[in-house]
Amino acid sequence: MTGINENYLKLKAGYLFPEIGRRVKAYAESNPQAKIIRLGIGDVTLPLAPSIVNAMVEAAKEMGNPQGFHGYGPEQGYSFLIQKIIEHDYTKRGVKIDEDEVFVSDGSKCDCGNIQEIFALDAKIAVVDPVYPVYVDTNVMAGRTGEADANGRYQNIVYMPATEANQFEPEFPKEKADIIYLCYPNNPTGMVASKARLTEWVEFAKKNGSIILFDSAYESFIQDPNIPKSIFEIPGAKEVAMEFRSFSKTAGFTGTRCAYLVIPKELKGKTKAGESVSFNSLWSRRHSTKFNGVSYITQKGAEAVFSPQGQMEIKEQIAYYMENARLIREGLGKAGYTVFGGTNAPYIWLKTAKGMKSWEFFDHLLQSAQVVGTPGSGFGPAGEGYFRLSAFGKREDVISALERIQKL
Amino acid sequence: MTGINENYLKLKAGYLFPEIGRRVKAYAESNPQAKIIRLGIGDVTLPLAPSIVNAMVEAAKEMGNPQGFHGYGPEQGYSFLIQKIIEHDYTKRGVKIDEDEVFVSDGSKCDCGNIQEIFALDAKIAVVDPVYPVYVDTNVMAGRTGEADANGRYQNIVYMPATEANQFEPEFPKEKADIIYLCYPNNPTGMVASKARLTEWVEFAKKNGSIILFDSAYESFIQDPNIPKSIFEIPGAKEVAMEFRSFSKTAGFTGTRCAYLVIPKELKGKTKAGESVSFNSLWSRRHSTKFNGVSYITQKGAEAVFSPQGQMEIKEQIAYYMENARLIREGLGKAGYTVFGGTNAPYIWLKTAKGMKSWEFFDHLLQSAQVVGTPGSGFGPAGEGYFRLSAFGKREDVISALERIQKL
C-alpha cells in the first residue's frame, strides 16, 4: 500500500472552523426552533456592491461572445487588475511596486498556506500566539515541525505570545527564526502595529536574516491615519518582507475568491551553498506550475473595486461593519466584559466570563444565548480564556446578540 | 538569510507553456505583420455556451442582493453541483459515488499539482513518457526525485515510454511504483485506453499495492462508446484509483476555472507502522486547510453544464472541435505526415518532418508557416521528434494553418 504523508497525523483534531460548524450543526439539529446568530467565522454578510456586480455581469456576457471570450489568462493575473492594485494600494501611499511583483490568486488562505513550499524544509518559523491556524497547520503538514505538546504547541515552532501582559504586542523571538508570520490588523486580537513598531520588526528581520510574511488582509478596516496599511511603507521592508492582501473582507469576496501576494524582487533567500535566490522567481515558478489564474469574471469584479464608484460603495460597507464593531465593544463593556480590538479591525477579542475556558464559553454562549463566536484557544494556547467576535454580522443580529448576552 | 527549497533548482529551464509564450512573443515583436495561428497550448476558443453565461449572470446578480448573497461556501463545493456531477458523470454510467467523495476545485492543474502532498515523501511515482509536465514538476518541487539527467529524466521516477513501437500504450512499470499517473484520453498523444487495458491497470495496481491517479480531463471527447470515460467503470477501481475531472475542455472553462477530484473512501494508504489511512480524509484536511472553495458564480455556471440545454450546447462545441481534429489529421496526412490521436481526443500527435528535433520543428513551423504547436520533447524525452497540435482552434485558423503547412 502507498505511504501517506504522516505529518498530517500530527495535526490537532480538526481545522477550527469546521469544528465550530459541527458543534453548531449538532445544536441546531437538537434545537430546531433556536434562532442562532453567527458571529464566529469572519464571514461578511452585506451583498456585493453594485459596481462589482455590474462588472461581473458584463464580464460573464463578454465570455459568451466570440470577441469577448477569455480562455487561459496570465497565471499571475491580468494587467488591468495588477495595475489598479499597484496604483491604488501602493503608489498612492508612496510605495513603488512593479507589475511582476504582484501575484493575483483565489484567496489569501491559499497563498498563506502555499507560500511555505518555497522555503527550505529546515527553515524555522515563528508565529504569534494566538494566531490564524493556517500558518501553523500548513507548516505541520510540510514536516517543518515536531509533534504538538499537551497545550497544542508544536516542537520546532517559535511561539511569540500576545497577552494582556504585553498588551497583545508580541516580543521579538529570542531564538533564531527564519520566517516570521505577522498579521496586522490582527486576526484574532484586532490589534494594530504602529509605524514605530513595524520599523522595529523590519530592523529585527534585517539584523537577524529573517523574512517577514505580512498578512494585511484587514488593512481596509484601519481608521487611524497614522497606522501603516502596508509593511512596504517602512523603508527597507522590501528586502525582508512579502505581503498578503485579499478582497474577501475589503469588498465582500469571501464567496467570490480573489486575493494577491506581493513579493518584491529585492527579497532573497539562499541555498545551503550560500547562493542567493530571489523568492519572487521561486514563487513565479510555483504559481505557474500549480495554479492557472483566477476567473476572468472575478478579476473584472475585483477591478471594479478600484473604480471611484466602487471605492465609495465599499467604504460604506466598511463603515457599516465598523459601526457593528463599536456596538459590540460598547455592548460587551456594559455587560461587564473586558474587550480589546475592534477600533481598527473587524474583530473584538474578549475575556470569557467567570474565567471559563474558551470552548466552555463557546458552548455556554451557544446554548444560553444562541450566539456563535470563536474560541480563543482555537488560535493557540495563549488564546485560552479569550473569545473572538466578528463585526461582519447583520446589524439586527449584532443588536440581538448583545441583548441576549447582556441578559445572561 | 532564509533557506530556499532547493528542489526548485532541479527543475528544467521553464514550464513548457511559458517557454512557448516567450518564443512566440519574441517572433511577433520582430515580425509585427505576421498573422500567427496558435494551435499550441490546449486552450479553447469557442465562447461559453448561453446556458452557462445565463446562469453566471443570474448568480452575479444574486450576489448583489441581501437574500441571494453567498459568503464562504463549503470548501468541498456546493451540494447543488456535486449532486449533478454524481448523477450525470457517474450514476448514469453505473458507478456509485457519494457526495463526500467529490471535491470541487478551481482547476485540474491545481489538483494534479497539489495531490502529491498527501503521499509519503519516499513514495515512488511512475509516469508515462511523454507526459503532462505538471505531474513530474510538482514531485520534483516536493523533493520526491533526484536531479535530471541529460535527457531531462529525473532520478527516482519510473518512466513508462509510450512510443510508436508499443503503439503509445506504455508497459507496466518493472520497478516498484507507489503512485502511477495515467491520463486517458491522453495528453499529449491523443490515445485512449480500452476497457480491457484499464482492467489490467486496475489489477496491476491491486497486485502491486500501487494507486492510480487517473486524469480524465478529456473524457468528453471520447466518440467510441466502448471506451470507458471513468476508471471507476472498472470493477474494483475504487480501491486503487482517484480521478481528476475538469470543466476546462468539456465546457470551455479554461478562463472560468472549475474542476473536481473524486477520491473513493475505499482508497487507502498506510503509515510506516502499517496503519491504514483513507486518502479521502487526508485530502479533505488538505482541501479545507489550504483552499476556500470555488466562486459561487462559477459553481452555478458549472451546474448549468448539466442542464438538458447546457448538455446540448456543449455537445455542439465538442463536435466542432472534433471536426477540427478530423481536418488536422487528414490535412497532415495529405501533407505526408505520420499522425496519431485525434479520433477520441482533441490532440493530434505527429512525427516532425525530416527527422527534425521537436523544438527545431517548433521554430521551423513558427518561422515558415506562423503556426504555433507544442514540441513533443516538452512532454518528456520519449516525445523528442514528435509535435502536438490542438484541435481547439477556430475553424478558419485550422484551415489556414493546414494550407500553410501543406505549402511548406
Side-chain angles (χ1 to χ4, degrees):
Chain A
M1 233 192 260
T2 303
I4 67 152
N5 176 351
E6 297 195 29
N7 294 309
Y8 276 60
L9 307 180
K10 298 175 191 164
L11 291 165
K12 310 301 289 179
Y15 180 64
L16 175 61
F17 297 108
E19 175 59 27
I20 291 174
R22 275 186 291 276
R23 293 202 190 197
V24 174
K25 197 178 167 201
Y27 179 79
E29 280 168 5
S30 341
N31 300 274
Q33 79 301 339
K35 199 188 159 296
I36 296 171
I37 298 177
R38 287 171 171 80
L39 303 176
I41 188 167
D43 197 2
V44 296
T45 51
L46 291 175
L48 287 181
S51 305
I52 299 168
V53 170
N54 292 343
M56 291 203 289
V57 165
E58 287 315 306
K61 288 180 183 168
E62 253 191 273
M63 293 288 277
N65 71 59
Q67 288 72 42
F69 178 71
H70 286 72
Y72 289 121
E75 277 105 350
Q76 236 179 300
Y78 281 103
S79 265
F80 66 72
L81 176 57
I82 293 178
Q83 285 173 1
K84 292 275 163 47
I85 287 169
I86 291 173
E87 180 196 332
H88 181 273
D89 288 1
Y90 294 103
T91 312
K92 277 191 186 168
R93 298 188 71 85
V95 177
K96 193 187 163 303
I97 297 288
D98 291 339
E99 271 200 51
D100 57 2
E101 295 178 319
V102 179
F103 298 84
V104 175
S105 81
D106 66 326
S108 271
K109 183 178 176 188
C110 316
D111 288 339
C112 288
N114 294 329
I115 192 66
Q116 46 77 29
E117 293 178 27
I118 65 172
F119 303 121
L121 205 55
D122 62 2
K124 196 157 195 168
I125 72 158
V127 295
V128 177
D129 174 13
V131 72
Y132 178 49
V134 171
Y135 309 154
V136 173
D137 288 1
T138 56
N139 279 290
V140 174
M141 288 167 163
R144 217 167 262 115
T145 75
E147 298 287 342
D149 66 16
N151 290 319
R153 284 190 169 173
Y154 292 93
Q155 288 162 1
N156 209 38
I157 289 184
V158 179
Y159 289 91
M160 304 178 284
T163 61
E164 257 185 285
N166 59 21
Q167 296 177 290
F168 302 100
E169 196 161 85
E171 285 166 35
F172 299 123
K174 282 175 192 68
E175 304 163 68
K176 168 80 180 150
D178 299 295
I179 299 158
I180 301 167
Y181 288 80
L182 293 180
C183 173
Y184 288 111
N186 188 257
N187 173 18
T189 66
M191 305 304 275
V192 285
S194 67
K195 191 155 194 167
R197 186 63 182 165
L198 274 189
T199 303
E200 289 174 351
W201 273 113
V202 167
E203 282 163 8
F204 176 87
K206 250 181 215 180
K207 198 173 143 199
N208 294 278
S210 314
I211 78 165
I212 295 172
L213 306 189
F214 193 75
D215 182 350
S216 63
Y218 300 96
E219 55 79 23
S220 56
F221 297 88
I222 294 174
Q223 309 293 305
D224 179 343
N226 295 315
I227 303 289
K229 285 175 170 265
S230 164
I231 195 165
F232 301 129
E233 294 177 39
I234 310 300
K238 282 166 141 189
E239 290 154 46
V240 296
M242 59 177 77
E243 181 162 284
F244 300 84
R245 289 274 180 111
S246 172
F247 293 93
S248 284
K249 310 302 162 74
T250 303
F253 270 51
T254 53
T256 304
R257 314 303 312 139
C258 199
Y260 50 100
L261 169 55
V262 180
I263 309 186
K265 280 170 288 194
E266 293 94 320
L267 185 67
K268 302 274 171 68
K270 69 165 192 334
T271 63
K272 302 259 182 268
E275 192 194 350
S276 150
V277 180
S278 128
F279 282 119
N280 181 290
S281 70
L282 292 172
W283 185 251
S284 171
R285 185 69 196 237
R286 197 268 171 210
H287 206 62
S288 60
T289 304
K290 297 195 189 180
F291 185 66
N292 232 332
V294 172
S295 160
Y296 171 74
I297 299 169
T298 305
Q299 291 191 63
K300 289 302 281 185
E303 183 194 21
V305 170
F306 297 110
S307 67
Q309 181 66 23
Q311 282 293 299
M312 216 181 67
E313 290 165 358
I314 66 159
K315 275 177 187 155
E316 267 177 39
Q317 297 193 339
I318 288 164
Y320 176 96
Y321 293 134
M322 289 312 290
E323 173 63 10
N324 282 350
R326 187 188 67 80
L327 291 169
I328 297 172
R329 232 173 45 233
E330 295 183 6
L332 289 174
K334 276 183 205 153
Y337 286 91
T338 309
V339 296
F340 307 94
T343 52
N344 287 299
Y347 292 122
I348 290 88
W349 188 241
L350 58 125
K351 282 178 85 161
T352 60
K354 299 169 196 158
M356 278 186 225
K357 297 231 168 200
S358 298
W359 276 110
E360 201 183 338
F361 187 70
F362 173 91
D363 291 332
H364 166 66
L365 218 57
L366 176 60
Q367 283 153 24
S368 316
Q370 292 76 52
V371 171
V372 180
T374 312
S377 59
F379 298 100
E384 183 60 273
Y386 291 87
F387 202 74
R388 189 191 78 175
L389 287 178
S390 141
F392 290 118
K394 292 180 179 155
R395 180 68 43 81
E396 61 269 28
D397 287 343
V398 167
I399 292 170
S400 302
L402 289 166
E403 282 170 3
R404 295 184 195 171
I405 291 171
Q406 284 166 348
K407 275 187 203 143
L408 286 182
Chain B
M1 230 192 261
T2 303
I4 67 153
N5 176 350
E6 298 196 28
N7 294 310
Y8 275 60
L9 306 180
K10 298 175 192 164
L11 291 166
K12 309 302 288 179
Y15 179 63
L16 176 60
F17 296 109
E19 175 60 26
I20 292 175
R22 274 187 291 276
R23 294 201 189 198
V24 174
K25 198 179 166 201
Y27 179 79
E29 279 168 5
S30 339
N31 300 275
Q33 79 302 340
K35 199 188 160 294
I36 296 172
I37 299 176
R38 287 172 171 78
L39 303 176
I41 187 167
D43 196 4
V44 296
T45 52
L46 291 174
L48 287 180
S51 305
I52 299 167
V53 170
N54 292 343
M56 291 204 287
V57 165
E58 287 315 305
K61 289 180 182 167
E62 253 191 274
M63 292 289 277
N65 72 60
Q67 289 72 42
F69 178 72
H70 286 72
Y72 290 121
E75 278 103 351
Q76 236 179 299
Y78 281 103
S79 265
F80 65 72
L81 176 57
I82 293 177
Q83 285 173 2
K84 292 274 163 49
I85 288 170
I86 291 173
E87 181 196 332
H88 181 273
D89 288 0
Y90 295 104
T91 312
K92 277 192 186 167
R93 299 188 70 84
V95 178
K96 193 185 164 302
I97 297 289
D98 290 340
E99 272 200 50
D100 57 2
E101 295 177 318
V102 179
F103 297 84
V104 175
S105 82
D106 65 327
S108 271
K109 184 178 173 187
C110 316
D111 288 340
C112 289
N114 294 329
I115 192 67
Q116 47 76 29
E117 293 178 27
I118 64 172
F119 303 121
L121 205 54
D122 62 1
K124 195 156 196 168
I125 72 157
V127 296
V128 177
D129 174 13
V131 72
Y132 179 48
V134 171
Y135 309 155
V136 172
D137 288 1
T138 55
N139 280 290
V140 174
M141 290 167 161
R144 217 167 262 116
T145 73
E147 299 286 342
D149 66 16
N151 289 320
R153 283 189 170 173
Y154 292 93
Q155 289 162 0
N156 209 37
I157 289 184
V158 180
Y159 288 91
M160 305 178 284
T163 61
E164 257 185 285
N166 59 21
Q167 297 178 289
F168 302 100
E169 198 161 85
E171 284 165 36
F172 299 125
K174 282 174 192 68
E175 304 164 65
K176 168 80 180 150
D178 299 295
I179 300 158
I180 301 168
Y181 288 81
L182 292 181
C183 173
Y184 288 110
N186 189 256
N187 174 17
T189 65
M191 305 304 275
V192 287
S194 67
K195 192 155 195 169
R197 186 63 182 167
L198 275 188
T199 303
E200 289 174 352
W201 273 114
V202 167
E203 282 163 7
F204 176 87
K206 251 183 213 174
K207 197 173 143 200
N208 293 278
S210 314
I211 77 164
I212 295 172
L213 307 189
F214 193 75
D215 182 350
S216 62
Y218 300 96
E219 55 79 23
S220 57
F221 296 88
I222 293 175
Q223 309 293 307
D224 178 344
N226 295 316
I227 303 289
K229 284 173 170 268
S230 164
I231 195 166
F232 301 128
E233 295 177 37
I234 310 299
K238 283 164 138 190
E239 291 154 46
V240 294
M242 57 177 78
E243 181 161 285
F244 300 84
R245 289 274 181 112
S246 172
F247 293 93
S248 284
K249 310 300 163 76
T250 303
F253 270 51
T254 54
T256 304
R257 316 302 313 140
C258 199
Y260 50 99
L261 170 55
V262 180
I263 309 185
K265 281 171 285 194
E266 293 94 319
L267 185 66
K268 301 273 172 69
K270 70 166 192 332
T271 63
K272 302 259 182 267
E275 193 193 349
S276 149
V277 180
S278 126
F279 282 118
N280 181 290
S281 70
L282 292 172
W283 184 250
S284 171
R285 185 67 197 239
R286 196 271 169 207
H287 205 64
S288 61
T289 304
K290 297 195 188 180
F291 186 67
N292 232 331
V294 172
S295 160
Y296 171 73
I297 299 169
T298 305
Q299 291 191 63
K300 290 302 281 185
E303 183 194 22
V305 170
F306 297 110
S307 67
Q309 181 67 23
Q311 282 293 300
M312 214 181 67
E313 291 164 358
I314 66 159
K315 275 176 187 155
E316 266 176 39
Q317 297 194 338
I318 288 165
Y320 175 95
Y321 292 134
M322 289 312 289
E323 173 62 7
N324 283 350
R326 187 188 67 79
L327 290 170
I328 296 172
R329 231 173 48 232
E330 296 183 4
L332 289 175
K334 276 182 206 154
Y337 287 91
T338 309
V339 296
F340 306 95
T343 51
N344 288 298
Y347 292 122
I348 289 88
W349 188 241
L350 58 126
K351 282 178 85 162
T352 59
K354 299 169 195 158
M356 277 187 227
K357 297 229 165 202
S358 298
W359 277 109
E360 201 184 337
F361 187 71
F362 174 90
D363 290 332
H364 166 66
L365 218 57
L366 176 59
Q367 284 155 23
S368 317
Q370 291 77 51
V371 172
V372 181
T374 312
S377 59
F379 298 101
E384 184 59 273
Y386 291 88
F387 201 73
R388 190 191 79 175
L389 287 178
S390 140
F392 290 119
K394 292 179 180 155
R395 181 67 44 81
E396 61 270 29
D397 287 343
V398 167
I399 293 171
S400 302
L402 289 167
E403 283 169 2
R404 293 185 195 171
I405 291 171
Q406 284 166 348
K407 274 187 203 144
L408 285 182

